[in-house]
Amino acid sequence: QVQLVESGGGLVQAGDSLRLSCAVSGRGRTFSNYRMGWFRQAPGKEREFVAAISWTGSITYYADSVKGRFTISRDNAKNTVYLQMNSLEPEDTAVYYCASQAATTTQSFRHRGAYDYWGQGTQVTVSS
């Protein structure tokens, strides 16, 4: 069983920074072989794509709303993926989830359906 555990969320003020971490463990999946993604879900809204990173870490993708403010990275030796969030805005308030892309999928990595393992989420609240 594969487990993803997020950490690093919290309550911050607009303009502050946070770094989220997602530790992957368990048998059945070699972390370094899979693209990883971050999604977020605000109250009353659909879960939306935030960022993704290739299995080597050399290619990254971002939603337009976070481009230039957020940075995704990974450390395959530690089986961990990170999301550095700078210049946070109240609109960034949400539960943030990390996910591991399925081995075979026809869906875009920007779609939640492309991922088969998810963490439990970590709350990020940005006050104005």
Side-chain angles (χ1 to χ4, degrees):
Q1 185 70 15
V2 178
Q3 292 184 319
L4 287 70
V5 180
E6 302 98 334
S7 61
L11 172 62
V12 298
Q13 293 187 329
D16 286 350
S17 298
L18 277 175
R19 188 174 85 152
L20 306 183
S21 299
C22 172
V24 181
S25 63
R27 301 181 64 182
R29 176 155 297 190
T30 302
F31 173 77
S32 59
N33 289 349
Y34 293 85
R35 178 182 287 148
M36 296 293 295
W38 284 97
F39 286 72
R40 67 186 182 186
Q41 187 166 17
K45 294 189 176 181
E46 294 285 320
R47 191 171 299 187
E48 65 175 1
F49 171 78
V50 175
I53 188 166
S54 65
W55 63 278
T56 63
S58 61
I59 304 174
T60 56
Y61 315 85
Y62 298 95
D64 288 342
S65 58
V66 307
K67 199 172 296 182
R69 299 188 298 122
F70 290 12
T71 302
I72 188 172
S73 61
R74 67 190 296 162
D75 185 338
N76 286 342
K78 296 182 178 180
N79 286 1
T80 301
V81 62
Y82 305 96
L83 185 68
Q84 177 67 43
M85 306 186 294
N86 298 331
S87 302
L88 283 162
E89 303 168 354
E91 294 73 23
D92 295 317
T93 295
V95 177
Y96 284 71
Y97 300 89
C98 68
S100 179
Q101 187 171 0
T104 57
T105 179
T106 58
Q107 302 206 49
S108 164
F109 62 85
R110 295 179 183 271
H111 192 279
R112 59 182 297 183
Y115 299 81
D116 57 355
Y117 287 103
W118 293 82
Q120 82 290 346
T122 185
Q123 176 71 47
V124 172
T125 303
V126 185
S127 64
S128 57

